[in-house]
mmCIF file of all heavy atoms in Angstrom:
data_model
loop_
_atom_site.group_PDB
_atom_site.id
_atom_site.type_symbol
_atom_site.label_atom_id
_atom_site.label_comp_id
_atom_site.label_asym_id
_atom_site.label_seq_id
_atom_site.Cartn_x
_atom_site.Cartn_y
_atom_site.Cartn_z
ATOM 1 N N LEU A 78 41.953 44.721 -57.996
ATOM 2 C CA LEU A 78 42.242 44.517 -59.416
ATOM 3 C C LEU A 78 43.712 44.156 -59.622
ATOM 4 O O LEU A 78 44.044 43.252 -60.408
ATOM 5 C CB LEU A 78 41.888 45.766 -60.217
ATOM 6 C CG LEU A 78 40.395 46.090 -60.371
ATOM 7 C CD1 LEU A 78 40.216 47.404 -61.111
ATOM 8 C CD2 LEU A 78 39.668 44.976 -61.116
ATOM 9 N N GLN A 79 44.597 44.883 -58.931
ATOM 10 C CA GLN A 79 46.028 44.608 -59.053
ATOM 11 C C GLN A 79 46.345 43.188 -58.605
ATOM 12 O O GLN A 79 47.135 42.480 -59.246
ATOM 13 C CB GLN A 79 46.820 45.612 -58.222
ATOM 14 C CG GLN A 79 48.333 45.466 -58.371
ATOM 15 C CD GLN A 79 49.090 46.516 -57.577
ATOM 16 O OE1 GLN A 79 48.496 47.238 -56.783
ATOM 17 N NE2 GLN A 79 50.386 46.599 -57.770
ATOM 18 N N ARG A 80 45.720 42.746 -57.514
ATOM 19 C CA ARG A 80 45.961 41.390 -57.016
ATOM 20 C C ARG A 80 45.476 40.350 -58.026
ATOM 21 O O ARG A 80 46.181 39.376 -58.319
ATOM 22 C CB ARG A 80 45.227 41.201 -55.683
ATOM 23 C CG ARG A 80 45.416 39.805 -55.059
ATOM 24 C CD ARG A 80 44.426 39.599 -53.953
ATOM 25 N NE ARG A 80 43.066 39.655 -54.464
ATOM 26 C CZ ARG A 80 41.982 39.739 -53.707
ATOM 27 N NH1 ARG A 80 42.112 39.852 -52.395
ATOM 28 N NH2 ARG A 80 40.782 39.770 -54.244
ATOM 29 N N ASN A 81 44.266 40.555 -58.584
ATOM 30 C CA ASN A 81 43.730 39.601 -59.556
ATOM 31 C C ASN A 81 44.584 39.541 -60.816
ATOM 32 O O ASN A 81 44.835 38.461 -61.363
ATOM 33 C CB ASN A 81 42.294 39.970 -59.908
ATOM 34 C CG ASN A 81 41.315 39.609 -58.807
ATOM 35 O OD1 ASN A 81 41.729 39.185 -57.731
ATOM 36 N ND2 ASN A 81 40.030 39.769 -59.057
ATOM 37 N N PHE A 82 45.010 40.715 -61.303
ATOM 38 C CA PHE A 82 45.839 40.733 -62.507
ATOM 39 C C PHE A 82 47.201 40.076 -62.253
ATOM 40 O O PHE A 82 47.763 39.427 -63.146
ATOM 41 C CB PHE A 82 46.026 42.168 -63.004
ATOM 42 C CG PHE A 82 44.777 42.759 -63.601
ATOM 43 C CD1 PHE A 82 44.457 44.087 -63.397
ATOM 44 C CD2 PHE A 82 43.927 41.982 -64.363
ATOM 45 C CE1 PHE A 82 43.299 44.636 -63.945
ATOM 46 C CE2 PHE A 82 42.770 42.513 -64.916
ATOM 47 C CZ PHE A 82 42.459 43.841 -64.704
ATOM 48 N N GLN A 83 47.731 40.251 -61.038
ATOM 49 C CA GLN A 83 48.998 39.608 -60.693
ATOM 50 C C GLN A 83 48.842 38.088 -60.681
ATOM 51 O O GLN A 83 49.704 37.355 -61.172
ATOM 52 C CB GLN A 83 49.489 40.110 -59.321
ATOM 53 C CG GLN A 83 50.834 39.542 -58.888
ATOM 54 C CD GLN A 83 51.964 39.961 -59.811
ATOM 55 O OE1 GLN A 83 51.951 41.069 -60.344
ATOM 56 N NE2 GLN A 83 52.927 39.075 -59.993
ATOM 57 N N LEU A 84 47.708 37.623 -60.126
ATOM 58 C CA LEU A 84 47.443 36.181 -60.103
ATOM 59 C C LEU A 84 47.267 35.644 -61.532
ATOM 60 O O LEU A 84 47.747 34.550 -61.848
ATOM 61 C CB LEU A 84 46.182 35.896 -59.282
ATOM 62 C CG LEU A 84 46.309 36.074 -57.769
ATOM 63 C CD1 LEU A 84 44.942 35.904 -57.103
ATOM 64 C CD2 LEU A 84 47.303 35.077 -57.180
ATOM 65 N N MET A 85 46.608 36.410 -62.377
ATOM 66 C CA MET A 85 46.442 35.990 -63.771
ATOM 67 C C MET A 85 47.789 35.911 -64.474
ATOM 68 O O MET A 85 48.034 35.001 -65.279
ATOM 69 C CB MET A 85 45.501 36.953 -64.488
ATOM 70 C CG MET A 85 44.055 36.869 -64.023
ATOM 71 S SD MET A 85 42.994 38.145 -64.714
ATOM 72 C CE MET A 85 42.960 37.647 -66.431
ATOM 73 N N ARG A 86 48.676 36.856 -64.180
ATOM 74 C CA ARG A 86 50.016 36.836 -64.787
ATOM 75 C C ARG A 86 50.786 35.610 -64.321
ATOM 76 O O ARG A 86 51.483 34.955 -65.118
ATOM 77 C CB ARG A 86 50.772 38.111 -64.413
ATOM 78 C CG ARG A 86 52.185 38.165 -64.984
ATOM 79 C CD ARG A 86 52.897 39.443 -64.595
ATOM 80 N NE ARG A 86 52.253 40.618 -65.176
ATOM 81 C CZ ARG A 86 52.661 41.867 -64.956
ATOM 82 N NH1 ARG A 86 53.708 42.088 -64.154
ATOM 83 N NH2 ARG A 86 52.040 42.880 -65.523
ATOM 84 N N GLU A 87 50.670 35.263 -63.030
ATOM 85 C CA GLU A 87 51.352 34.082 -62.514
ATOM 86 C C GLU A 87 50.808 32.811 -63.162
ATOM 87 O O GLU A 87 51.576 31.886 -63.485
ATOM 88 C CB GLU A 87 51.190 34.010 -60.993
ATOM 89 C CG GLU A 87 51.930 35.115 -60.247
ATOM 90 C CD GLU A 87 51.676 35.077 -58.756
ATOM 91 O OE1 GLU A 87 50.943 34.159 -58.317
ATOM 92 O OE2 GLU A 87 52.194 35.946 -58.034
ATOM 93 N N LEU A 88 49.483 32.756 -63.336
ATOM 94 C CA LEU A 88 48.892 31.599 -64.006
ATOM 95 C C LEU A 88 49.353 31.509 -65.454
ATOM 96 O O LEU A 88 49.578 30.404 -65.972
ATOM 97 C CB LEU A 88 47.363 31.685 -63.941
ATOM 98 C CG LEU A 88 46.732 31.440 -62.569
ATOM 99 C CD1 LEU A 88 45.253 31.792 -62.589
ATOM 100 C CD2 LEU A 88 46.929 29.986 -62.148
ATOM 101 N N ASP A 89 49.479 32.652 -66.100
ATOM 102 C CA ASP A 89 50.004 32.683 -67.471
ATOM 103 C C ASP A 89 51.414 32.103 -67.530
ATOM 104 O O ASP A 89 51.746 31.306 -68.416
ATOM 105 C CB ASP A 89 50.008 34.116 -68.009
ATOM 106 C CG ASP A 89 48.762 34.429 -68.825
ATOM 107 O OD1 ASP A 89 48.140 33.492 -69.326
ATOM 108 O OD2 ASP A 89 48.421 35.609 -68.944
ATOM 109 N N GLN A 90 52.248 32.510 -66.566
ATOM 110 C CA GLN A 90 53.637 32.042 -66.542
ATOM 111 C C GLN A 90 53.695 30.539 -66.280
ATOM 112 O O GLN A 90 54.477 29.814 -66.911
ATOM 113 C CB GLN A 90 54.423 32.805 -65.472
ATOM 114 C CG GLN A 90 55.910 32.499 -65.477
ATOM 115 C CD GLN A 90 56.555 32.834 -66.810
ATOM 116 O OE1 GLN A 90 56.394 33.929 -67.329
ATOM 117 N NE2 GLN A 90 57.287 31.872 -67.370
ATOM 118 N N ARG A 91 52.865 30.063 -65.358
ATOM 119 C CA ARG A 91 52.826 28.623 -65.083
ATOM 120 C C ARG A 91 52.395 27.848 -66.326
ATOM 121 O O ARG A 91 52.940 26.769 -66.613
ATOM 122 C CB ARG A 91 51.850 28.337 -63.942
ATOM 123 C CG ARG A 91 52.293 28.849 -62.584
ATOM 124 C CD ARG A 91 51.262 28.483 -61.537
ATOM 125 N NE ARG A 91 51.553 29.108 -60.247
ATOM 126 C CZ ARG A 91 50.778 28.986 -59.179
ATOM 127 N NH1 ARG A 91 49.679 28.257 -59.243
ATOM 128 N NH2 ARG A 91 51.100 29.586 -58.044
ATOM 129 N N THR A 92 51.420 28.414 -67.053
ATOM 130 C CA THR A 92 50.952 27.755 -68.271
ATOM 131 C C THR A 92 52.060 27.686 -69.315
ATOM 132 O O THR A 92 52.255 26.653 -69.968
ATOM 133 C CB THR A 92 49.736 28.506 -68.852
ATOM 134 O OG1 THR A 92 48.708 28.585 -67.856
ATOM 135 C CG2 THR A 92 49.178 27.788 -70.072
ATOM 136 N N GLU A 93 52.782 28.795 -69.489
ATOM 137 C CA GLU A 93 53.873 28.807 -70.466
ATOM 138 C C GLU A 93 54.971 27.819 -70.074
ATOM 139 O O GLU A 93 55.533 27.130 -70.940
ATOM 140 C CB GLU A 93 54.450 30.229 -70.577
ATOM 141 C CG GLU A 93 53.514 31.231 -71.224
ATOM 142 C CD GLU A 93 53.138 30.841 -72.644
ATOM 143 O OE1 GLU A 93 54.019 30.324 -73.372
ATOM 144 O OE2 GLU A 93 51.967 31.030 -73.028
ATOM 145 N N ASP A 94 55.291 27.743 -68.777
ATOM 146 C CA ASP A 94 56.300 26.780 -68.321
ATOM 147 C C ASP A 94 55.843 25.352 -68.586
ATOM 148 O O ASP A 94 56.646 24.491 -69.001
ATOM 149 C CB ASP A 94 56.568 26.968 -66.823
ATOM 150 C CG ASP A 94 57.230 28.301 -66.509
ATOM 151 O OD1 ASP A 94 57.764 28.925 -67.446
ATOM 152 O OD2 ASP A 94 57.181 28.729 -65.336
ATOM 153 N N LYS A 95 54.571 25.104 -68.342
ATOM 154 C CA LYS A 95 54.044 23.757 -68.568
ATOM 155 C C LYS A 95 54.014 23.423 -70.058
ATOM 156 O O LYS A 95 54.278 22.272 -70.445
ATOM 157 C CB LYS A 95 52.644 23.652 -67.971
ATOM 158 C CG LYS A 95 52.092 22.240 -67.873
ATOM 159 C CD LYS A 95 52.953 21.348 -67.004
ATOM 160 C CE LYS A 95 52.980 21.755 -65.565
ATOM 161 N NZ LYS A 95 53.705 20.774 -64.721
ATOM 162 N N LYS A 96 53.732 24.406 -70.907
ATOM 163 C CA LYS A 96 53.754 24.180 -72.357
ATOM 164 C C LYS A 96 55.166 23.847 -72.837
ATOM 165 O O LYS A 96 55.361 22.979 -73.701
ATOM 166 C CB LYS A 96 53.224 25.418 -73.077
ATOM 167 C CG LYS A 96 51.716 25.584 -72.982
ATOM 168 C CD LYS A 96 51.263 26.960 -73.434
ATOM 169 C CE LYS A 96 51.574 27.222 -74.875
ATOM 170 N NZ LYS A 96 51.086 28.565 -75.307
ATOM 171 N N ALA A 97 56.156 24.523 -72.269
ATOM 172 C CA ALA A 97 57.550 24.220 -72.617
ATOM 173 C C ALA A 97 57.905 22.800 -72.185
ATOM 174 O O ALA A 97 58.617 22.071 -72.904
ATOM 175 C CB ALA A 97 58.475 25.228 -71.951
ATOM 176 N N GLU A 98 57.397 22.390 -71.013
ATOM 177 C CA GLU A 98 57.635 21.019 -70.549
ATOM 178 C C GLU A 98 56.987 20.008 -71.486
ATOM 179 O O GLU A 98 57.572 18.956 -71.788
ATOM 180 C CB GLU A 98 57.077 20.864 -69.129
ATOM 181 C CG GLU A 98 57.254 19.476 -68.545
ATOM 182 C CD GLU A 98 56.603 19.335 -67.176
ATOM 183 O OE1 GLU A 98 56.391 20.380 -66.509
ATOM 184 O OE2 GLU A 98 56.307 18.193 -66.782
ATOM 185 N N ILE A 99 55.781 20.316 -71.964
ATOM 186 C CA ILE A 99 55.092 19.425 -72.897
ATOM 187 C C ILE A 99 55.878 19.287 -74.195
ATOM 188 O O ILE A 99 56.042 18.181 -74.734
ATOM 189 C CB ILE A 99 53.670 19.947 -73.181
ATOM 190 C CG1 ILE A 99 52.805 19.831 -71.927
ATOM 191 C CG2 ILE A 99 53.030 19.184 -74.338
ATOM 192 C CD1 ILE A 99 51.455 20.510 -72.047
ATOM 193 N N ASP A 100 56.376 20.403 -74.703
ATOM 194 C CA ASP A 100 57.179 20.360 -75.935
ATOM 195 C C ASP A 100 58.424 19.506 -75.744
ATOM 196 O O ASP A 100 58.809 18.730 -76.634
ATOM 197 C CB ASP A 100 57.573 21.782 -76.351
ATOM 198 C CG ASP A 100 56.387 22.600 -76.821
ATOM 199 O OD1 ASP A 100 55.364 21.988 -77.195
ATOM 200 O OD2 ASP A 100 56.472 23.843 -76.818
ATOM 201 N N SER A 101 59.057 19.635 -74.591
ATOM 202 C CA SER A 101 60.264 18.869 -74.308
ATOM 203 C C SER A 101 59.955 17.372 -74.220
ATOM 204 O O SER A 101 60.678 16.531 -74.780
ATOM 205 C CB SER A 101 60.900 19.357 -73.009
ATOM 206 O OG SER A 101 62.024 18.564 -72.669
ATOM 207 N N LEU A 102 58.872 17.028 -73.520
ATOM 208 C CA LEU A 102 58.478 15.622 -73.395
ATOM 209 C C LEU A 102 58.096 15.026 -74.745
ATOM 210 O O LEU A 102 58.428 13.870 -75.042
ATOM 211 C CB LEU A 102 57.302 15.497 -72.419
ATOM 212 C CG LEU A 102 57.604 15.735 -70.936
ATOM 213 C CD1 LEU A 102 56.317 15.793 -70.125
ATOM 214 C CD2 LEU A 102 58.522 14.634 -70.399
ATOM 215 N N ALA A 103 57.378 15.818 -75.555
ATOM 216 C CA ALA A 103 56.970 15.332 -76.872
ATOM 217 C C ALA A 103 58.183 15.097 -77.770
ATOM 218 O O ALA A 103 58.266 14.078 -78.483
ATOM 219 C CB ALA A 103 56.017 16.332 -77.516
ATOM 220 N N ALA A 104 59.148 16.017 -77.751
ATOM 221 C CA ALA A 104 60.356 15.854 -78.569
ATOM 222 C C ALA A 104 61.152 14.632 -78.111
ATOM 223 O O ALA A 104 61.673 13.861 -78.947
ATOM 224 C CB ALA A 104 61.213 17.118 -78.472
ATOM 225 N N GLU A 105 61.237 14.458 -76.795
ATOM 226 C CA GLU A 105 61.957 13.291 -76.254
ATOM 227 C C GLU A 105 61.271 11.995 -76.662
ATOM 228 O O GLU A 105 61.936 10.998 -76.998
ATOM 229 C CB GLU A 105 62.027 13.408 -74.732
ATOM 230 C CG GLU A 105 62.764 12.273 -74.051
ATOM 231 C CD GLU A 105 62.747 12.415 -72.536
ATOM 232 O OE1 GLU A 105 62.422 13.516 -72.046
ATOM 233 O OE2 GLU A 105 63.054 11.417 -71.850
ATOM 234 N N TYR A 106 59.938 12.006 -76.622
ATOM 235 C CA TYR A 106 59.178 10.798 -76.986
ATOM 236 C C TYR A 106 59.389 10.454 -78.462
ATOM 237 O O TYR A 106 59.620 9.293 -78.818
ATOM 238 C CB TYR A 106 57.701 11.026 -76.689
ATOM 239 C CG TYR A 106 56.825 9.847 -77.054
ATOM 240 C CD1 TYR A 106 56.717 8.757 -76.196
ATOM 241 C CD2 TYR A 106 56.106 9.826 -78.247
ATOM 242 C CE1 TYR A 106 55.910 7.666 -76.526
ATOM 243 C CE2 TYR A 106 55.310 8.750 -78.581
ATOM 244 C CZ TYR A 106 55.217 7.675 -77.720
ATOM 245 O OH TYR A 106 54.427 6.591 -78.056
ATOM 246 N N ILE A 107 59.297 11.446 -79.335
ATOM 247 C CA ILE A 107 59.455 11.215 -80.769
ATOM 248 C C ILE A 107 60.862 10.705 -81.099
ATOM 249 O O ILE A 107 61.041 9.834 -81.958
ATOM 250 C CB ILE A 107 59.153 12.513 -81.554
ATOM 251 C CG1 ILE A 107 57.670 12.878 -81.416
ATOM 252 C CG2 ILE A 107 59.513 12.360 -83.024
ATOM 253 C CD1 ILE A 107 57.313 14.232 -81.994
ATOM 254 N N GLU A 108 61.836 11.214 -80.376
ATOM 255 C CA GLU A 108 63.220 10.856 -80.661
ATOM 256 C C GLU A 108 63.543 9.419 -80.247
ATOM 257 O O GLU A 108 64.313 8.720 -80.926
ATOM 258 C CB GLU A 108 64.153 11.833 -79.935
ATOM 259 C CG GLU A 108 65.630 11.598 -80.217
ATOM 260 C CD GLU A 108 66.512 12.597 -79.495
ATOM 261 O OE1 GLU A 108 65.957 13.574 -78.931
ATOM 262 O OE2 GLU A 108 67.739 12.412 -79.498
ATOM 263 N N SER A 109 62.970 8.971 -79.140
ATOM 264 C CA SER A 109 63.362 7.662 -78.602
ATOM 265 C C SER A 109 62.234 6.640 -78.577
ATOM 266 O O SER A 109 62.368 5.604 -77.926
ATOM 267 C CB SER A 109 63.913 7.843 -77.190
ATOM 268 O OG SER A 109 62.971 8.483 -76.359
ATOM 269 N N VAL A 110 61.111 6.913 -79.260
ATOM 270 C CA VAL A 110 59.965 6.008 -79.177
ATOM 271 C C VAL A 110 60.289 4.630 -79.750
ATOM 272 O O VAL A 110 59.773 3.603 -79.287
ATOM 273 C CB VAL A 110 58.747 6.623 -79.905
ATOM 274 C CG1 VAL A 110 59.032 6.795 -81.402
ATOM 275 C CG2 VAL A 110 57.498 5.772 -79.693
ATOM 276 N N LYS A 111 61.163 4.571 -80.771
ATOM 277 C CA LYS A 111 61.485 3.290 -81.395
ATOM 278 C C LYS A 111 62.242 2.363 -80.451
ATOM 279 O O LYS A 111 62.163 1.129 -80.574
ATOM 280 C CB LYS A 111 62.312 3.529 -82.656
ATOM 281 C CG LYS A 111 61.546 4.228 -83.762
ATOM 282 C CD LYS A 111 62.424 4.402 -84.998
ATOM 283 C CE LYS A 111 61.651 5.099 -86.115
ATOM 284 N NZ LYS A 111 62.495 5.285 -87.336
ATOM 285 N N ASN A 112 62.980 2.916 -79.531
ATOM 286 C CA ASN A 112 63.786 2.108 -78.611
ATOM 287 C C ASN A 112 63.098 1.873 -77.265
ATOM 288 O O ASN A 112 63.686 1.252 -76.365
ATOM 289 C CB ASN A 112 65.138 2.789 -78.365
ATOM 290 C CG ASN A 112 65.908 3.004 -79.652
ATOM 291 O OD1 ASN A 112 65.865 2.157 -80.559
ATOM 292 N ND2 ASN A 112 66.634 4.119 -79.745
ATOM 293 N N MET A 113 61.873 2.371 -77.120
ATOM 294 C CA MET A 113 61.158 2.238 -75.849
ATOM 295 C C MET A 113 60.378 0.932 -75.791
ATOM 296 O O MET A 113 59.859 0.448 -76.802
ATOM 297 C CB MET A 113 60.171 3.405 -75.657
ATOM 298 C CG MET A 113 60.812 4.713 -75.292
ATOM 299 S SD MET A 113 59.523 5.975 -75.031
ATOM 300 C CE MET A 113 60.510 7.366 -74.529
ATOM 301 N N LEU A 114 60.284 0.403 -74.584
ATOM 302 C CA LEU A 114 59.400 -0.726 -74.341
ATOM 303 C C LEU A 114 57.958 -0.218 -74.262
ATOM 304 O O LEU A 114 57.725 0.962 -73.988
ATOM 305 C CB LEU A 114 59.788 -1.425 -73.031
ATOM 306 C CG LEU A 114 61.180 -2.078 -72.996
ATOM 307 C CD1 LEU A 114 61.487 -2.588 -71.593
ATOM 308 C CD2 LEU A 114 61.289 -3.199 -74.016
ATOM 309 N N PRO A 115 56.966 -1.075 -74.480
ATOM 310 C CA PRO A 115 55.558 -0.637 -74.405
ATOM 311 C C PRO A 115 55.218 0.051 -73.090
ATOM 312 O O PRO A 115 54.493 1.043 -73.065
ATOM 313 C CB PRO A 115 54.789 -1.954 -74.578
ATOM 314 C CG PRO A 115 55.710 -2.823 -75.381
ATOM 315 C CD PRO A 115 57.099 -2.473 -74.921
ATOM 316 N N GLU A 116 55.772 -0.498 -71.986
ATOM 317 C CA GLU A 116 55.483 0.113 -70.689
ATOM 318 C C GLU A 116 56.077 1.522 -70.588
ATOM 319 O O GLU A 116 55.463 2.434 -70.012
ATOM 320 C CB GLU A 116 56.034 -0.753 -69.552
ATOM 321 C CG GLU A 116 55.389 -2.121 -69.419
ATOM 322 C CD GLU A 116 55.956 -3.135 -70.411
ATOM 323 O OE1 GLU A 116 56.903 -2.767 -71.151
ATOM 324 O OE2 GLU A 116 55.432 -4.263 -70.462
#
């Protein structure tokens, strides 16, 4: 049980880190989308 809960906590942390990355990418996209090329 301790091992499974530890793995779940690690997955939670990875998810939160990835969500922060998504927020950062989205903010960057919104800020500079007008100056970006289609590609």
